[in-house]
Each structure stands twice: as structure tokens, then as C-alpha cells.
């Protein structure tokens, strides 16, 4: 039995690795098109087995500037209510210069974390996985960098939306040590875990199961559900 998965992403972000996509133009010729984050959603649907159901997030050019908070909430409740996992595609150009509450991704994360009741049934918070896409150079170092000296990796969380940052390294009783003046966390220290696209592709069910496992242990984490 598959899981219902909601995918949050920045539709038009072109700061992603080329997927070598060709499409037919009006003359019937196959022409190469620029890869966007949206194209990775298609790849994701192919990677997951046919039992999984994918609900897609933002559509190209959808602005929130003229929407009330309640209108946004209503739209997202309809999209997210039946899902159990949210995959956030982290990409280098996922943020714009608009206020965070005027961008879709923070709202989608917020409503993935909230519990609400419909027809006498209360939905659970979703498990959330941050799947990090390679940038146009095929690199992840805009967000994830290895630290061989401390035998760990560094996540540049300042790059992320606030609600993503708030739900990382948020376990109530952390297992951590000092290395070169910085804390190094061990174990499942974050409710929202970050995984490279290439690693997710190799064992997707492992990470999907991990998202559900952490959702079921959500009381171990200080979870922030609202946009600041």
C-alpha cells in the first residue's frame, strides 16, 4: 500500500542540475529545454513505486500577494489533508526576495505540520523530508558541505526558510559534542532531515519510512508549526 505524498518546491527555479530534457516544439522538432525544479517532481514520481500518490505543490507564477491567510489555508488544507509525508525539494533558488509569508513553501510546510479536523477525523502532522537538489554545477555545497576534521557534515541552514530552520536540530534531548568550537549532533537530531537527491534516489523507501518514524516520535521534538 502506497503513501500519499505532498511535494513542496519552487516551480520555476532553474538553479538545478540539467536533466537533459527534450520536448517537441510546434514544428515537431525535439529541442532541449531548461531544467527547472518542477522537472524533478516528474523524476520523483518515476522513482517512487506506482502505489505512491503524489500531490504537487506550487504551480508556476502563483503569487500569494493578493490572497488572504484564510484563502491560502483553505487551499492547502484541501491539498495536504490526505497526505502522510511531505517532501520539500530544497533548491538553490527556492527563496525570493518577497516576505516568507508571501511564498508558498513556508505555508506548505506549516500546513504539513498542523493537525486539523474534517468530518470528525483529525489528520496527523506529516513526516517531512528535505530532499536537496544539486545546483546547476551538480554540487550540493550551497547547503551541504563535508567536514572531514569533525567527521560530519555542515548544513547551511541560514539559507533556508525560517520554518525549515526551526524544525532542524530541534530534538528536546540532543546527543551532541563539541568540535572546533561548534556543536556536532548525532542521531536523529532534526524532525526535518536533509538528504541529497542522489542518496534519496538510491533508497527512497528508507527515507520515507524515516519520515514516518520521526512523525510517530514527534513529541521528542520542539516542533514549530507557524510562520513567523
Amino acid at each position: 500500500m502506497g503513501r500519499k505524498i505532498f511535494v513542496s518546491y519552487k516551480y520555476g527555479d532553474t538553479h538545478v542540475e540539467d536533466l537533459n530534457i527534450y520536448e517537441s516544439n510546434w514544428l515537431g522538432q525535439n529541442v532541449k529545454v531548461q531544467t527547472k525544479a518542477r522537472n524533478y517532481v516528474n523524476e520523483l514520481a518515476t522513482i517512487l513505486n506506482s502505489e505512491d500518490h503524489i500531490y504537487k505543490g506550487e504551480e508556476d507564477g502563483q503569487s500569494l500577494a493578493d490572497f488572504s491567510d484564510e484563502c491560502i489555508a483553505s487551499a492547502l488544507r484541501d491539498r495536504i489533508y490526505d497526505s502522510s509525508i511531505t517532501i520539500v525539494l530544497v533548491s538553490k533558488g527556492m527563496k525570493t526576495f518577497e516576505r516568507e509569508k508571501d511564498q508558498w513553501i513556508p505555508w506548505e510546510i506549516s500546513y504539513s505540520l498542523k493537525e486539523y479536523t474534517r468530518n470528525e477525523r483529525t489528520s496527523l502532522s506529516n513526516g517531512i523530508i528535505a530532499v536537496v537538489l544539486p545546483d546547476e554545477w551538480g554540487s550540493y555545497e550551497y547547503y551541504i558541505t563535508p567536514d572531514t576534521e569533525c567527521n560530519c557534515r555542515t548544513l547551511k541552514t541560514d539559507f533556508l526558510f525560517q520554518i525549515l530552520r526551526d524544525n532542524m536540530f530541534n530534538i528536546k534531548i540532543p546527543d551532541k559534542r563539541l568540535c572546533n568550537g561548534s556543536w556536532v549532533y548525532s542521531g536523529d537530531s532534526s524532525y526535518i532531515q536533509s538528504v541529497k537527491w542522489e542518496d534519496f534516489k538510491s533508497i527512497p523507501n528508507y527515507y520515507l519510512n524515516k519520515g514516518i518514524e520521526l512523525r510517530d516520535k514527534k513529541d521528542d521534538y520542539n516542533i514549530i508549526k507557524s510562520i513567523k
Side-chain angles (χ1 to χ4, degrees), residues 129-146:
I129 310 162
V131 177
V132 185
L133 302 183
D135 69 12
E136 60 267 54
W137 311 110
S139 172
Y140 296 94
E141 294 205 6
Y142 67 92
Y143 175 52
I144 300 175
T145 56

Side-chain angles (χ1 to χ4, degrees), residues 72 129 157 188 216:
I72 296 166
I129 310 162
T157 56
D188 295 326
D216 293 343

Side-chain angles (χ1 to χ4, degrees), residues 130 132 139-146 153-156 194-197 199:
V132 185
S139 172
Y140 296 94
E141 294 205 6
Y142 67 92
Y143 175 52
I144 300 175
T145 56
R153 62 179 188 169
T154 297
L155 301 183
K156 300 176 183 177
S194 300
V195 55
K196 293 180 180 178
W197 170 254
D199 294 332

